Amino acid sequence: MMPAAYDEAEGKGTAVTDRQDTMTPKAIAIRTAKYVLTAAIVGGAVFLLHRYIERMAWQDVREAIERIPRWHVAGSIAATALSWICLAAYDVFAVETVVPGKVPMRMKIFSGFTAHAICNALGFHAITGTALRYRVLSTQGVGAADVARVVGLVGFAVGMGFASVTCLALLLEPSIAQGWGRWPGIALLAFFVVLLRWLAGKHDVFKVWKFSTPVPSARSAGAQMVIGVVEMVGATGAMYLLLPAEIAGGFLDFAPIYVGAILAGIASNTPGGIGAFEALTLAAFPQEQRAQVLAALLAYRVIYGLGPAALASLALGAFEVRRRIAAPA
């Protein structure tokens, strides 16, 4: 899922800070707070899942899975494909910004898809995402420092995607924030305008302490915001289509639930946000509907998570075999 890249950037930034500060008391306090927050989220998720699931009959969950219409499953697969195409596009923009003209298009797409799909399944995005991208991009002469910049720009793009969807949701459905949603939506919109105007100026590089990275043009950043909205619509739709219509409600009503569950999964640092994502989603529905919601969650995990991860793993395996065959003896 698209949050993987955001976590990669965050993890990379933490790594840089830790090296510079050499574990100062402030760095230790921040890391401890992060671990405590992660433990609290995972612990709360486990408690809620146990509480919800023990009240369900697995026969009801199995029957709910069997009742999911086949054309809804097909629609969920199509929405998944749309979402993953957009995630790969983030890497295309990022690589072209950092090392323009150096990497062929097919390799940019391949690197983005495999990194996102495998990271989404395994977690530990700061490690796996950077390592996978380096494994692929280094064959095109891209160095470790530039791969780190690519990871940072992908994280920026994913963050802008989340912010764009949140902005639209607040502007279209201000009741999400108990009637005050339009004001933070307008604030986000103003932020985007300021950001795009800044990028439209003579700003080619963004520098923080000793770390610097090229920044996208205003046109590129705007395109990535649009892609972010499309990606989140696809990801949300992949789950929404698996829920019974009488439970799911309107798409805009379900979208905040999905985005909130994704953010909880990112904060939990578990592979694919497993546990926290399910717990928050189940918590949004009454107990009598949770067997059907759990059935949709299980189907979603297979379609959106396991399917792309399996394809990416096979593709990466074929890539490695081809490299070994092509390598001189």
Side-chain angles (χ1 to χ4, degrees), residues 165-198:
V165 170
T166 302
C167 178
L168 285 175
L170 291 171
L171 291 174
L172 295 174
E173 292 287 337
S175 58
I176 291 171
Q178 297 181 346
W180 293 93
R182 188 163 284 123
W183 293 109
I186 292 173
L188 273 174
L189 185 61
F191 166 75
F192 291 144
V193 171
V194 171
L195 175 64
L196 291 175
R197 284 182 62 86
W198 183 82

Side-chain angles (χ1 to χ4, degrees), residues 177-315:
Q178 297 181 346
W180 293 93
R182 188 163 284 123
W183 293 109
I186 292 173
L188 273 174
L189 185 61
F191 166 75
F192 291 144
V193 171
V194 171
L195 175 64
L196 291 175
R197 284 182 62 86
W198 183 82
L199 291 173
K202 296 180 180 179
H203 301 288
D204 298 325
V205 176
F206 179 72
K207 187 173 182 179
V208 178
W209 293 293
K210 297 180 180 180
F211 181 80
S212 64
T213 182
V215 295
S217 65
R219 180 177 296 181
S220 176
Q224 290 179 66
M225 290 178 189
V226 174
I227 291 172
V229 173
V230 175
E231 189 276 319
M232 283 302 300
V233 168
T236 307
M239 175 68 193
Y240 178 77
L241 287 168
L242 298 171
L243 289 166
E246 64 274 12
I247 291 177
F251 185 84
L252 287 177
D253 294 325
F254 176 73
I257 297 173
Y258 180 85
V259 173
I262 287 292
L263 293 175
I266 292 173
S268 71
N269 285 319
T270 56
I274 192 167
F277 177 82
E278 283 78 6
L280 197 148
T281 303
L282 288 171
F285 296 89
Q287 181 62 42
E288 60 271 15
Q289 297 177 345
R290 286 177 182 149
Q292 294 166 291
V293 175
L294 181 59
L297 284 166
L298 293 173
Y300 170 81
R301 283 293 184 184
V302 172
I303 294 171
Y304 194 90
L306 293 181
L311 287 174
S313 298
L314 290 172

Side-chain angles (χ1 to χ4, degrees), residues 47-118:
F47 171 78
L48 288 175
L49 282 176
H50 179 266
R51 181 179 178 183
Y52 295 153
I53 292 175
E54 70 175 354
R55 299 179 182 180
M56 297 182 195
W58 282 104
Q59 179 67 22
D60 294 339
V61 177
R62 189 176 68 179
E63 290 176 356
I65 292 175
E66 293 172 351
R67 288 197 301 269
I68 298 175
R70 296 295 175 264
W71 72 273
H72 279 208
V73 174
S76 179
I77 293 172
T80 294
L82 176 64
S83 175
W84 286 101
I85 288 170
C86 291
L87 287 172
Y90 287 146
D91 278 67
V92 172
F93 277 101
V95 173
E96 192 59 26
T97 299
V98 176
V99 284
K102 192 171 187 177
V103 181
M105 178 62 72
R106 61 184 180 83
M107 294 302 292
K108 288 184 282 193
I109 295 172
F110 176 73
S111 172
F113 172 71
T114 53
H116 283 295
I118 294 175

Side-chain angles (χ1 to χ4, degrees), residues 8-20 30-31 34:
E8 289 163 18
E10 183 183 23
K12 191 68 181 178
T14 302
V16 172
T17 303
D18 288 347
R19 286 197 298 270
Q20 291 175 347
I30 292 173
R31 178 168 291 188
K34 184 177 180 180

